[in-house]
């Protein structure tokens, strides 16, 4: 068990996923919500995805939003009931490599199968 599990956190983090394993989640709701930003010590409004098959929610960023749009379109009300696969990887922030969550789009699975559908 990861130590952060004792903190009662509301959001999915890279530490919640096993390395090399995708987590298939079903979108239940997409909304905007204010969250506390530790660096600025202020609240900011972010997009939140709630899932029907997982207790933690996910803050979505530009990269993941673009991936979901490529699958399900621009209208977030059309995302309800749709599935996304979330995986753990890294990204570069302020010159440092840090863990992050990403959403796979359909093209990834087409490449894995060797098809174009």
């Amino acid at each position: 068990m990861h130590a952060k599990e004792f903190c009662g956190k509301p959001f999915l983090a890279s530490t919640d996923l096993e390395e090399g394993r995708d987590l298939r989640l079903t979108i239940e709701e997409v909304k905007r919500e204010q969250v506390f930003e530790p660096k600025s010590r202020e609240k900011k409004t972010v997009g939140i995805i709630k899932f029907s098959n997982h207790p933690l929610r996910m803050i979505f960023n530009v990269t993941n939003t673009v991936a979901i749009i490529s699958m399900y379109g621009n209208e977030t009300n059309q995302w309800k009931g749709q599935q996304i696969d979330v995986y753990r990887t890294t990204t570069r922030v302020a010159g440092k490599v840090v863990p992050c969550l990403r959403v796979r789009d359909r093209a990834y699975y087409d490449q894995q199968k060797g098809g174009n559908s």
Side-chain angles (χ1 to χ4, degrees), residues 65-98:
T65 301
V66 168
I68 297 171
I69 288 170
S70 76
M71 293 185 285
Y72 303 122
N74 288 315
E75 293 297 326
T76 59
N77 60 353
Q78 295 176 347
W79 298 1
K80 185 175 181 176
Q82 302 294 343
Q83 293 184 327
I84 60 173
D85 289 332
V86 178
Y87 66 100
R88 178 182 176 167
T89 190
T90 59
T91 191
R92 200 172 275 282
V93 176
K96 295 181 181 180
V97 176
V98 297

Side-chain angles (χ1 to χ4, degrees), residues 28-54:
E28 181 178 311
E29 181 181 19
V30 178
K31 63 181 181 175
R32 297 175 85 174
E33 189 174 302
Q34 283 198 336
V35 298
F36 180 74
E37 174 60 51
K39 290 180 184 176
S40 67
R41 306 204 41 84
E42 296 179 4
K43 286 190 174 185
K44 71 175 188 176
T45 302
V46 297
I48 303 289
I49 300 175
K50 181 180 177 186
F51 304 104
S52 60
N53 60 334
H54 199 281

